[in-house]
């Protein structure tokens, strides 16, 4: 690759914080609230003008991983800050009742506008400073192990943010990678989970459509068998939103020319993925209009960006694995739980693998060590880029676990500042007690929360 030398320049310091969080998805929201609620001067930096991450920016509109199937009974396992956010979305009448998937697990749909407003309110209530429309672009280090400042590109030019502790909730591990933390991409063969372009339809006749989420996959199989259509993948998810005239469509799968998954940290891949994603959405729409109840529907929303499921997974002190998920693993340093199964978006299909249900407790614990990147002292990583294997990430990347990881990371950052130690050296019992006191469920000896 040809290069050009950038002239050295002085960068204005936007602010100096105790905790700086990069990324405003589920992990970043919870991390920033947890740190600020503990009294830390906290800044959340987000490239868009709203919060929610993939949940809003990629039109996901559905929480997975909040619940667990515990010996055949459903419980909402992820509590704490997630409960506060959910209550605020519900207050705006933007939250569905949880719905059953494969008769085995619950998910819960929400309206993106309500999520954005509720998240703004949540952060304001806890005095989190926010810097929107700021793209994290690099770091300055004190030395090999400590980050000094995060550089961001804004409409006012490049600025620097200094903090004692940084939390990477970018989903892509951007900050950790710039700081020099090791990371992995894809499975043993480099295969990433495939991205999807989500979209939503409005104008559906709910009575006629009825439970079309059951029949649509059958109609797709029939259309393919008769040779009238081909689809980018099996396992289409088409389900109603809060208002049953509006349905979300998780139907597409984006690949490179060679058939491998679009890589969400490669600009040319992203460009192709966005354009192909919209093309696939248009094709899917043409098919869906033939489904009873969908005849007068129209695409009401194509989200701001392609939905990226997996890019960098930062390597930390422990990597949560697929065996941990399927074996409902316990950890002495648990900071939260994940009740979502492995959901592998592979070429042309989506493959779910559950722990034994109803014989098992249905959830694994999440160890604190997965938030601690190797080699960097003042950095925590939370969310889909935390330390997990490809298979582990295929489960614990969903919103529920990301909220749990974020809350733990923000709380840990505050404890580290209190003790003047790196996050790696805090007393795990103190972190666990603080999380429990805040209403989080971390597994271990805690009673499983009741209700949905
Ligand atoms: C198509 C699709 C469907 C999905 N379906 C579901 C579902 O039904 N239920 C569910 O729970 N999960 C689902 N997921 C997974 C889930 O949405 C994500 O894994 C989850 O949002 C990850 O949370 P996060 O906070 O780790 O990261 P993200 O949600 O990715 O948030 C990261 C945030 O950081 C910001 N950011 C990134 N880089 C920078 C930077 N350099 N500078 C500034 N800001 C930056 C981004 O704009 C974003 O707001 C789906 C994902 C996809 C792609």
């Amino acid at each position: 690759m040809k290069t050009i030398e950038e002239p050295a320049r002085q960068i204005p310091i936007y602010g100096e914080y105790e905790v700086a969080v990069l990324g405003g998805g589920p992990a970043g929201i919870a991390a920033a609230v947890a740190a600020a609620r503990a009294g830390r001067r906290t800044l959340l930096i987000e490239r868009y003008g709203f919060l929610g991450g993939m949940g809003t920016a990629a039109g996901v509109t559905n929480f997975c991983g909040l619940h667990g199937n515990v010996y055949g009974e459903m419980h909402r396992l992820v509590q704490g800050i997630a409960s506060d956010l959910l209550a605020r979305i519900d207050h705006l009448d933007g939250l569905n009742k949880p719905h059953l998937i494969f008769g085995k697990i619950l998910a819960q749909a929400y309206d993106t506008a309500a999520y954005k407003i509720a998240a703004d309110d949540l952060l304001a209530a806890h005095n989190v400073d926010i810097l929107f429309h700021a793209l994290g672009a690099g770091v300055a280090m004190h030395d090999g192990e400590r980050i000094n400042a995060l550089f961001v590109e804004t409409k006012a030019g490049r600025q620097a943010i200094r903090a004692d502790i940084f939390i990477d909730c970018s989903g892509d591990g951007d900050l950790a990678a710039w700081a020099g933390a090791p990371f992995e991409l894809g499975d043993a063969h480099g295969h990433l989970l495939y991205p999807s372009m989500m979209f939503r339809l409005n104008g559906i006749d709910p009575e006629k459509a009825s439970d079309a989420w059951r029949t649509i996959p059958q109609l797709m199989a029939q259309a393919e068998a008769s040779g009238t259509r081909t689809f980018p993948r099996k396992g289409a998810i088409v389900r109603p939103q809060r208002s049953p005239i509006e349905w979300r469509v998780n139907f597409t799968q984006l690949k490179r020319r060679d058939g491998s998954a679009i890589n969400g940290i490669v600009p040319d891949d992203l460009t192709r993925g966005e354009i192909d994603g919209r093309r696939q959405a248009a094709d899917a729409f043409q098919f869906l209009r033939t489904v009873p109840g969908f005849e007068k529907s129209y695409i009401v929303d194509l989200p701001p960006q392609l939905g990226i499921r997996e890019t960098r997974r930062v390597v930390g002190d422990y990597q949560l694995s697929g065996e941990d998920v399927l074996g409902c693993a316990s950890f002495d340093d648990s900071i939260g739980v994940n009740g979502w199964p492995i959901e592998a978006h592979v070429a042309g299909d989506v493959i779910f693998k559950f722990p034994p249900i109803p014989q098992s407790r249905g959830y694994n614990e999440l160890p604190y060590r997965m938030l601690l990147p190797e080699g960097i002292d003042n950095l925590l990583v939370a969310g889909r880029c935390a330390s997990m294997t490809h298979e582990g990430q295929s489960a614990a990347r969903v919103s529920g676990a990301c909220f749990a990881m974020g809350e733990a990371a923000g709380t840990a950052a505050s404890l580290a500042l209190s003790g003047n130690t790196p996050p790696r050296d805090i007393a795990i019992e103190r972190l666990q007690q603080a999380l429990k006191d805040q209403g989080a469920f971390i597994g271990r000896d805690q009673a499983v929360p009741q209700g949905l």
Side-chain angles (χ1 to χ4, degrees), residues 32-239:
V33 169
R37 194 170 57 180
R40 300 299 165 190
R41 196 165 133 67
T42 303
L43 178 71
L44 184 146
I45 303 120
E46 167 56 49
R47 74 177 136 172
Y48 293 122
F50 53 85
L51 300 167
M54 291 298 130
T56 51
V60 164
T61 64
N62 185 51
F63 291 127
C64 296
L66 294 172
H67 299 87
N69 185 333
V70 185
Y71 299 110
E73 208 176 276
M74 300 296 176
H75 295 259
R76 181 141 75 73
L77 299 178
V78 177
Q79 302 271 344
I81 290 166
S83 297
D84 194 342
L85 179 67
L86 258 70
R88 289 170 191 270
I89 298 175
D90 197 27
H91 187 68
L92 293 160
D93 202 15
L95 194 63
N96 273 18
K97 295 270 175 271
H99 61 274
L100 202 55
I101 298 185
F102 306 127
K104 285 185 167 176
I105 193 73
L106 293 174
Q108 191 161 15
Y110 56 81
D111 290 345
T112 45
Y115 188 168
K116 291 177 189 171
I117 297 166
D120 283 346
D121 289 348
L122 177 67
L123 266 66
H126 293 288
N127 298 317
V128 178
D129 284 357
I130 302 179
L131 182 61
F132 279 142
H133 297 294
L135 178 72
V139 292
M141 302 292 287
H142 286 295
D143 51 43
E145 283 90 43
R146 282 185 60 80
I147 303 164
N148 178 3
L150 166 69
F151 295 119
V152 293
E153 297 294 348
T154 74
K155 290 296 274 184
R158 181 173 277 223
Q159 313 219 15
I161 291 147
R162 297 182 77 179
D164 298 319
I165 295 186
F166 293 85
I167 308 181
D168 187 342
C169 297
S170 66
D172 296 322
D174 286 358
L175 177 46
W178 296 323
F183 61 84
E184 293 179 348
L185 271 176
D187 64 9
H189 309 286
H191 297 152
L192 293 158
L193 297 180
Y194 282 79
S196 296
M197 175 64 79
M198 298 285 296
F199 63 100
R200 295 199 312 279
L201 296 177
N202 206 335
I204 287 149
D205 178 337
E207 282 183 19
K208 249 175 111 180
S210 182
D211 58 354
W213 61 86
R214 284 187 228 282
T215 49
I216 285 169
Q218 294 156 19
L219 294 172
M220 288 169 68
Q222 282 165 18
E224 282 205 315
S226 67
T228 52
R229 287 181 195 272
T230 53
F231 299 102
R233 70 171 223 226
K234 298 191 182 73
I237 303 164
V238 188
R239 303 227 31 155

Side-chain angles (χ1 to χ4, degrees), residues 39 60 64 114 118 160 204 228 259 263 269 271 284 309 317 337 365 414 436:
V60 164
C64 296
I204 287 149
T228 52
N263 182 338
D269 271 24
T271 305
R309 294 187 168 88
D317 292 1
V337 303
E365 295 177 346
S414 177
K436 288 197 263 186

Side-chain angles (χ1 to χ4, degrees), residues 152-438:
V152 293
E153 297 294 348
T154 74
K155 290 296 274 184
R158 181 173 277 223
Q159 313 219 15
I161 291 147
R162 297 182 77 179
D164 298 319
I165 295 186
F166 293 85
I167 308 181
D168 187 342
C169 297
S170 66
D172 296 322
D174 286 358
L175 177 46
W178 296 323
F183 61 84
E184 293 179 348
L185 271 176
D187 64 9
H189 309 286
H191 297 152
L192 293 158
L193 297 180
Y194 282 79
S196 296
M197 175 64 79
M198 298 285 296
F199 63 100
R200 295 199 312 279
L201 296 177
N202 206 335
I204 287 149
D205 178 337
E207 282 183 19
K208 249 175 111 180
S210 182
D211 58 354
W213 61 86
R214 284 187 228 282
T215 49
I216 285 169
Q218 294 156 19
L219 294 172
M220 288 169 68
Q222 282 165 18
E224 282 205 315
S226 67
T228 52
R229 287 181 195 272
T230 53
F231 299 102
R233 70 171 223 226
K234 298 191 182 73
I237 303 164
V238 188
R239 303 227 31 155
Q241 293 297 116
R242 179 78 185 91
S243 163
I245 61 168
E246 183 180 314
W247 290 41
R248 73 180 169 286
V249 185
N250 184 343
F251 207 100
T252 62
Q253 183 172 88
L254 281 312
K255 55 179 193 263
R256 292 168 161 173
R257 280 196 184 84
D258 67 3
S260 62
I262 290 288
N263 182 338
I265 52 170
V266 175
D268 282 344
D269 271 24
L270 280 170
T271 305
R272 177 187 167 98
E274 298 284 1
I275 295 167
D276 283 358
R278 286 189 280 272
R279 282 194 191 119
Q280 287 189 16
D283 289 347
F285 173 54
Q286 288 311 320
F287 164 72
L288 288 169
R289 286 252 272 194
T290 66
V291 175
F294 285 67
E295 298 87 347
K296 293 185 181 158
S297 67
Y298 63 97
I299 299 178
V300 67
D301 183 53
L302 270 169
Q305 75 148 86
L306 176 66
I308 302 296
R309 294 187 168 88
E310 179 194 11
T311 55
R312 296 186 195 96
R313 290 174 286 98
V314 177
V315 177
D317 292 1
Y318 184 86
Q319 287 182 290
L320 187 83
S321 69
E323 294 82 53
D324 292 334
V325 172
L326 297 178
C328 301
S330 299
F331 297 98
D332 288 345
D333 60 339
S334 175
I335 46 80
V337 303
N338 164 59
W340 194 251
I342 291 175
E343 180 191 329
H345 287 254
V346 297
D349 209 348
V350 187
I351 295 168
F352 283 81
K353 288 187 212 160
F354 284 82
I357 283 174
Q359 298 84 349
S360 74
R361 71 173 186 206
Y363 64 84
N364 63 278
E365 295 177 346
L366 301 165
Y368 178 50
R369 284 163 291 160
M370 62 189 282
L371 310 183
L372 299 169
E374 274 179 16
I376 312 294
D377 277 352
N378 62 339
L379 176 66
L380 290 141
V381 178
R384 68 180 167 88
C385 55
S387 181
M388 305 179 251
T389 66
H390 170 74
E391 273 215 312
Q393 200 266 6
S394 302
R397 70 187 164 82
V398 295
S399 309
C402 292
F403 283 124
M405 287 186 245
E407 181 161 355
T411 309
S414 177
L415 287 173
L417 290 165
S418 301
N420 199 21
T421 65
R424 181 168 276 104
D425 294 341
I426 62 168
I428 187 65
E429 303 76 25
R430 288 195 60 199
L431 173 59
Q432 290 173 325
Q433 193 56 52
L435 291 169
K436 288 197 263 186
D437 291 348
Q438 288 162 201

